[in-house]
């Protein structure tokens, strides 16, 4: 299943909101539609968002080239795409890279932007293979591994980050079990990671997020391994809400806590020159379940989508260029 694709002038996305119950594709012809798909999480996961943003910029370039003031229209559409979701640096990064590419005549913008997105897609698998290889020293035969959110092929458009590492480790060493946090409120763990682990033949069970401490105390976890939406210069890691809690729990139980992410998820300007914005999503994601209100009528919800784990709680960061230990200096 190719999470992010492009054919006949259209961006083609697996609608991840429907998985695993249904496999449906969205066909997107304009930058505003692409922005909506990213914002509403039809496509999600930092590298996949980056790839979708690169294609969205190609759609923006095509539209802008026809406008009375192509430069102004392109900047307006680029800002709109960049603001779809604020936390994954891959999104911002791709918008900036494509803008830098589009310096010549507007007539050549679409081909230039599309060429960049296609090259990115073609390189994704190799990048993810390198991540998985570099993460292999973290694993031992028979290990029990806990992961959070979804970091598989759906999240990168290739093989995945932490997920690809888990999958390779199982093939080469044999893991006893993977515990997949269900990952409230969007259930990326229960819906997407469990689906991908099943397809990869990795033994696994889904746990509620609140069961992680119990599982660690029971000796059911030898390694926690997750992805990242943004890694700061000192190794601080923004990732799906709940990740920080897992890192604190892992330290308490003496369990290694590793992050696997490509260099495109690293933000050397953070902290200092740039701060990370933690996305705050619709309270209804917390107050409702499958469209039905479950929280008490009249109650509101706080719904931060990400948290930040300090670098000193991260025992290893794996990128396509190697495995790093603290202190980090990216
Ligand atoms: O809100 P999401 O589903 O986009 O959040 C995704 C995550 O937090 C992932 O762990 C992260 O993007 C890494 S994906 C390889």
């Amino acid at each position: 299943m190719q999470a992010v694709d492009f054919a006949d002038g259209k961006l083609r996305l697996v609608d991840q909101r429907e998985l695993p119950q249904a496999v449906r594709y969205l066909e997107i012809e304009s930058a505003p539609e692409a922005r909506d798909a990213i914002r509403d999480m039809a496509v999600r996961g930092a590298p996949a968002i980056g790839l979708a943003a690169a294609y969205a910029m190609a759609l923006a370039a095509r539209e802008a080239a026809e406008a009375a003031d192509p430069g102004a229209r392109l900047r307006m559409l680029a800002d709109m795409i960049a603001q779809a979701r604020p936390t994954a640096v891959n999104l911002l990064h791709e918008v900036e890279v494509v803008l830098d590419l589009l310096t010549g005549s507007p007539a050549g913008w679409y081909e230039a932007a599309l060429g960049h997105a296609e090259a990115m897609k073609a390189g994704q698998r190799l990048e993810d293979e390198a991540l998985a290889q570099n993460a292999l020293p973290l694993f031992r035969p028979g290990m029990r591994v806990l992961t959070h959110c979804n970091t598989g092929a759906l999240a990168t458009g290739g093989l995945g980050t932490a997920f690809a590492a888990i999958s390779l480790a199982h093939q080469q060493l044999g893991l006893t079990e993977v515990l997949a946090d269900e990952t409230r409120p969007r259930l990326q763990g229960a819906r997407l990671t469990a689906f991908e682990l099943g397809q990869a033949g990795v033994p696994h069970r889904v746990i509620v997020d609140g069961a992680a401490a119990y599982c660690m105390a029971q000796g059911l976890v030898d390694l926690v391994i997750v992805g990242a939406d943004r890694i700061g210069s000192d190794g601080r890691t923004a990732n799906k809400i709940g990740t920080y809690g897992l890192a604190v729990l892992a330290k308490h139980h003496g369990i290694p806590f590793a992050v696997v992410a490509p260099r495109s998820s690293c933000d050397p300007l953070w902290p200092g020159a740039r701060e990370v914005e933690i996305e705050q999503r619709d309270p209804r994601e917390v107050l409702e379940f499958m469209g039905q209100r479950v929280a008490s009528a009249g109650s509101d919800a706080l719904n931060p989508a990400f948290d930040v784990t300090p670098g000193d709680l991260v025992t290893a960061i794996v990128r396509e260029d190697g495995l790093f230990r603290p202190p980090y200096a990216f």
Side-chain angles (χ1 to χ4, degrees), residues 244-256:
Y244 176 29
L246 288 175
V248 173
L249 286 172
K251 186 172 173 87
H252 180 77
H253 291 92
I255 297 167

Side-chain angles (χ1 to χ4, degrees), residues 1 5 46 291:
M1 194 183 301
D5 214 344

Side-chain angles (χ1 to χ4, degrees), residues 57-66 70 74 98-116:
M57 284 298 291
L59 298 175
R62 185 171 66 192
E63 180 187 322
E66 302 295 319
L74 182 67
V98 176
L99 279 179
D100 284 349
L101 269 179
L102 305 186
T103 48
S105 155
W109 283 359
Y110 175 58
E111 278 72 23
L114 190 57
H116 168 75

Side-chain angles (χ1 to χ4, degrees), residues 41 184-186 281-289 303 305:
M41 296 174 65
R184 284 278 295 152
R186 300 289 296 232
R281 293 190 63 85
D282 191 329
R284 282 179 303 175
E285 291 183 348
V286 175
L287 298 169
E288 297 176 356
F289 186 72
N303 187 17

Side-chain angles (χ1 to χ4, degrees), residues 41 44-47 49 85 148-152 155-156 161 188 227-229 239-240 279 305-306:
M41 296 174 65
R44 32 69 45 206
I49 289 173
R85 292 188 78 189
H148 192 60
C149 198
N150 172 262
T151 61
T156 70
T161 59
Q188 292 95 326
D229 280 74
N239 192 51
K240 180 51 54 195
E279 179 183 10
F306 299 94

Side-chain angles (χ1 to χ4, degrees), residues 65-87:
E66 302 295 319
D69 184 345
R73 178 68 70 90
L74 182 67
R75 275 190 302 280
M76 188 273 282
L77 292 171
D79 283 350
M80 188 198 67
I81 295 164
Q83 286 162 19
R85 292 188 78 189
T87 308

Side-chain angles (χ1 to χ4, degrees), residues 30 34 80 136 164 172-173 176 214 257 262 284 288:
S30 73
M80 188 198 67
L136 213 45
Q172 299 215 346
L173 305 169
T176 297
Y214 167 88
F257 177 92
R284 282 179 303 175
E288 297 176 356

